[in-house]
Amino acid sequence: MSTPGMEKMEQNDNEGDNFRLHLVTWNVATAEPPVDISSLLHLESPKGPDVYVIGLQEVYSGPLRFMSDVVFDDPWSHCLMTTLAPWNYVKVSSIRMQGLLLLFFSKLEHLPFIRDIQATYTRTGIFGYWGNKGGVSIRLSFYGHMLCFLNCHLSAHMNNATERVIEFEYITDKQIFNCEKAQRILDHRLVFWFGDLNFRIQDHGMHFVRTCISDQNYNLLWSKDQLIMLKKKEKLLQEFEEGPLDFQPTYKFDLNTDLYDSSKKRKPAWTDRILWRLIPKALPSDKQEECGDRSDANNVGQPEEAKKSLLELSQDLYTSDMQYRISDHKPVIGIFTLKLKKMQTTPLVHLLAEGEWSADIDAMLVYFPKQPFPSSSWDWIGLYKVGFSSVFDYITYTWVKDDEVAVDEEAIKVYMSKDEIPVRGGECVLGYYCNTLQCIIGISEPFKVHASKVAIEEGFLPEKLRGLHRS
């Protein structure tokens, strides 16, 4: 017999958990990032998102800049990372193809449950060989559910509406992932398609379009929006949903103004869009595994009803942000609530720092495999400062297999040289990176790395820090 409290817990478990997704698409027209992007990210909102997905188009990609961006983070990635890191968001993955850039950020707590991350791109510009147009995508398993995010920049101009659909179909067919259960974009349970899709408002004249915008009668323009029109006859487009266009068209503006093209050569249009496609019914339980993790521990012995994994999506906001004037496009924001039943509730490994850590002594860490996972000789454990900005923003790392010093049935100890530990110390965490799954599969609790006594005694640390250490 279950108590009322137990019944409530079971009901909540069946209802699933809610996650907030914040998507942005913006054609930045080669501009540098603005000084303040907090409005774009709704950083002051009482309901902070669990995930940010940012898709940019026309990021500056001149030869010298592009070569430097290969080595260093491009200005937009750097801006977003430094803005979001203090709010406890970590860049999980990114991909760039010339001017197209896609970034995925997550709250730290979700990292061990974002697995099998893969990213790819498809060129469609100039006979399919030039990357000024096309699509970049990131696919991943989020608590056991397969999601894909596709950022596109499609052909421009009024008369290329059909060409844009052909390009989209080509991208969805061409992109192949190393994943038996979801090899293509449309194999994923949930797909977000967004970007500068370049669909225009046809038939209506310039004066009528601008009058409707001025009067906020946006609905009078919807019937001539090319994407809405094409959804009536293109089967693939019919599978995608979009919220109402209850915001003014985001293209084309004079730079540094809120005025539409003063040359009057370009009609305003909703070129910048966010759509989604959700497969409502769960796939068979064998398809709920992420590609690299063949353990089905969470599904064993579950009733058939539990295997029908809950996945629902609702859109909370679909709008543009008019305050940004650096581009001839305005950014578009989509905020969603993703409701799902977690297929994974335990990290694959549990990590902790053993004993006292400082740069004066070699350190020891311990990890406990909680479930089978595809470990390899390329797995590593990173030491991160609390508030780190990306998976690869570690202070140092140690190869798991190379530096193992003790193994028993439950725990594995790994050595880390004192030479790699920061002499200044600070609050840190450990993260286990699984190369096969391309992600962090375990995060330790924060722990204190003490300032080096040797460095203090020899005067290598500032007076302020020496005083803190003595106290």
Side-chain angles (χ1 to χ4, degrees), residues 131-146:
N132 64 319
K133 296 291 193 295
V136 292
S137 63
I138 295 172
R139 64 88 53 206
L140 48 85
S141 168
F142 187 74
Y143 287 94
H145 300 266
M146 293 183 290

Side-chain angles (χ1 to χ4, degrees), residues 350-404:
H350 176 65
L351 276 167
L352 59 88
E354 187 175 76
E356 184 174 297
W357 278 52
S358 79
D360 298 323
I361 55 174
D362 295 330
M364 200 72 66
L365 59 92
V366 185
Y367 75 90
F368 304 81
K370 308 301 287 185
Q371 297 176 33
F373 67 92
S375 62
S376 77
S377 58
W378 295 103
D379 290 3
W380 48 268
I381 294 174
L383 177 67
Y384 298 87
K385 280 285 185 73
V386 169
F388 65 100
S389 62
S390 79
V391 170
F392 298 102
D393 181 28
Y394 46 73
I395 301 167
T396 185
Y397 65 89
T398 183
W399 295 106
V400 174
K401 300 297 183 183
D402 290 351
D403 297 314
E404 284 181 0

